[in-house]
Amino acid sequence: MRHDDNLTADRPTFVTHLECSMTGERYEADRLHGLSAVGRPLLVRYDLAAAARALTPEVLAGRPADLWRYREILPVRRTENIVSLGEIATPIVDLPAVARAAGASNLWVKDEGRLPTGSFKARGLVMAIAMARELGVTTIAMPTNGNAGAAAAAYASRVGIEAVIFCPADTPEINVREIAAQGARVYRVNGLIDDCGKLVGQGAKARGWFDLSTLKEPYRIEGKKTMGLELAEQFGWELPDAIFYPTGGGTGLIGMWKAFDEMEALGWIGSKRPRMYAVQAEGCAPMVRAWQQGERHATRWEDAHTVAAGIRVPQAVGDFLILDAVRQSNGAALAVSDAAILQAVDDAARTDGLLLCPEGGATLAAWRNALAEGLVAPDDKVLLFNCATGLKYPMADQSRTLDRNGPIDFASL
Ligand SMILES: *Cc1c(COP(=O)(O)O)cnc(C)c1O
């Protein structure tokens, strides 16, 4: 397939091909792909030397602060296939009180809860849906713990693609309802996310649905890599010392790691990399177990449970990509308890006014442990990820009532 129109487009992409993340085998761009022949994720490759001439930090600085500003190193060929609900550059907010209480400084949160549909799943799904549109898909299907399904539903509806979504039966009510509200057909399934994934696979065979599962199509990684591009620019092209990422399928961690290499090839940053900390919950920690045992692949975690539904992922097809990045960066895979997660959410909201989601709380809890164990220094520049708005999650009822007709002791209020 030729795309000469790409040469005359106002902002072309420099995609050259796709590549198996495991074997390096080459795949043609501009065609529908799932996993590679060996069943592993495909990575999108670009002509970065040419892209470097078109896209520089100076050019970027003149563009709107959104995800599509990286157009040249994103996969969409034709500008008309771009879809958007306003994917803003998310702010990086500090946690001064929480840091001080731990004897540290320089603690930052990238607050992804500001994105459309309230989570960073918007980054991955806006790209996956734009590419599905470009490649002629009419129905997508995916398993979800909630946020991915919501983002998929929203973007699919916006471009007129049908969406069929399967979630574990105990997915939070708000997620199931928002998925339906945004136009998808959503089903609760009596199983976990990988059980839902199997249904998607069967439906794909039976009905020709396009499987949009985490890392089973190549473009969600490209959307998520914009977190890495964005944070580098926000930190003045100097990456932080450590990044704590709540890891389910690992799309964001893998995407950021890819972004760092691409930016170095583009000449935007040097060779310094943050230590990457993959954070999981004690009740579902397949990456932590594999990391501790020195394995490159992780086995399925049985009886997965945690309050942080977004990281309740028993098995990940990109396990080796997560573990490679953690090891190459000198980071670690860390597990935290649900109690520590909830405490962290409470502390950040109460003392610094930032309401984290439980998965974001997990990164704070993991940082606290890492600081106590000496894995991070008190003055290390640390970036946590808050992946969704805390408003989507149940909050403890701490309200009190007041009888306006009785005597009120204002001094006691
Ligand atoms: C999906 C999700 C995660 C995990 O992200 P991955 O990149 O798939 O590992 C973490 N937190 C929340 C809130 C999520 O929705």
Side-chain angles (χ1 to χ4, degrees):
M1 208 191 290
R2 293 293 306 272
H3 280 277
D4 290 339
D5 53 332
N6 153 36
L7 301 173
T8 52
D10 49 343
R11 288 153 148 209
T13 174
F14 288 88
V15 170
T16 53
H17 64 283
L18 279 61
E19 201 176 273
C20 173
S21 56
M22 187 105 130
T23 65
E25 188 190 350
R26 233 180 129 100
Y27 291 75
E28 239 180 278
D30 308 309
R31 292 156 141 257
L32 262 191
H33 292 292
L35 292 169
S36 73
V38 296
R40 293 296 173 174
L42 290 174
L43 299 174
V44 182
R45 296 299 183 199
Y46 301 84
D47 180 350
L48 293 172
R53 292 189 290 275
L55 190 61
T56 62
E58 294 69 39
V59 170
L60 272 178
R63 291 185 181 172
D66 70 8
L67 170 150
W68 291 106
R69 66 209 302 253
Y70 307 105
R71 177 82 170 84
E72 289 86 345
I73 47 171
L74 296 176
V76 177
R77 271 299 168 204
R78 301 171 68 102
T79 302
E80 75 238 35
N81 291 320
I82 287 177
V83 50
S84 176
L85 288 165
E87 299 70 33
I88 58 161
T90 59
I92 293 178
V93 181
D94 64 346
L95 288 181
V98 166
R100 215 178 307 119
S105 55
N106 237 346
L107 180 62
W108 303 84
V109 179
K110 191 149 174 66
D111 189 8
E112 296 280 296
R114 323 280 178 112
L115 287 161
T117 70
S119 86
F120 67 0
K121 290 298 193 303
R123 291 186 191 268
L125 273 309
V126 74
M127 203 60 59
I129 294 288
M131 290 306 292
R133 176 197 222 179
E134 184 154 273
L135 300 171
V137 169
T138 55
T139 305
I140 62 100
M142 74 184 315
T144 183
N145 279 325
N147 288 322
Y155 290 110
S157 291
R158 196 162 175 92
V159 301
I161 289 177
E162 283 185 53
V164 188
I165 311 282
F166 300 100
C167 15
D170 58 353
T171 300
E173 192 61 43
I174 181 141
N175 293 117
V176 181
R177 291 189 183 200
E178 68 175 326
I179 293 167
Q182 285 156 179
R185 304 202 291 280
V186 57
Y187 300 91
R188 290 181 183 276
V189 177
N190 50 344
L192 284 177
I193 184 130
D194 45 359
D195 301 310
C196 295
K198 285 185 193 120
L199 295 181
V200 169
Q202 289 162 11
K205 277 208 190 76
R207 300 290 303 156
W209 300 339
F210 186 63
D211 185 345
L212 223 62
S213 305
T214 305
L215 299 181
K216 287 193 181 163
E217 60 77 57
Y219 304 111
R220 283 173 65 178
I221 291 180
E222 294 306 291
K224 281 277 196 85
K225 91 179 177 190
T226 62
M227 294 190 297
L229 304 173
E230 212 172 278
L231 74 90
E233 189 174 4
Q234 287 171 313
F235 280 138
W237 305 108
E238 177 78 30
L239 300 179
D241 297 308
I243 289 180
F244 286 73
Y245 186 82
T247 305
T251 326
L253 194 149
I254 296 164
M256 284 192 281
W257 195 245
K258 181 173 188 282
F260 298 155
D261 284 347
E262 291 180 356
M263 285 191 289
E264 187 178 355
L266 289 161
W268 298 357
I269 61 168
S271 58
K272 177 190 161 175
R273 295 289 183 274
R275 299 192 305 280
M276 304 298 281
Y277 293 97
V279 178
Q280 301 202 298
E282 283 175 359
C284 182
M287 295 307 138
V288 178
R289 186 169 60 192
W291 182 74
Q292 287 171 345
Q293 295 176 350
E295 304 287 346
R296 192 165 184 233
H297 293 283
T299 48
R300 187 175 194 273
W301 190 275
E302 301 303 328
D303 302 319
H305 60 88
T306 166
V307 291
I311 52 176
R312 194 182 57 171
V313 179
Q315 192 156 35
V317 66
D319 52 4
F320 66 109
L321 297 172
I322 299 167
L323 291 161
D324 285 356
V326 165
R327 292 195 174 108
Q328 284 168 26
S329 71
N330 242 333
L334 305 170
V336 291
S337 70
D338 276 7
I341 290 174
L342 296 173
Q343 185 66 53
V345 170
D346 197 55
D347 293 341
R350 195 176 295 280
T351 66
D352 277 314
L354 189 65
L355 188 63
L356 304 174
C357 63
E359 296 80 4
T363 66
L364 175 54
W367 170 78
R368 285 172 158 172
N369 293 346
L371 185 70
E373 288 167 23
L375 290 177
V376 295
D379 60 349
D380 271 350
K381 187 168 195 167
V382 171
L383 186 65
L384 311 178
F385 270 85
N386 185 47
C387 326
T389 171
L391 294 171
K392 273 198 191 184
Y393 297 82
M395 278 168 263
D397 180 10
Q398 304 183 65
S399 63
R400 279 165 285 194
T401 55
L402 202 57
D403 177 7
R404 71 187 168 89
N405 297 316
I408 294 175
D409 174 11
F410 282 92
S412 76
L413 297 186

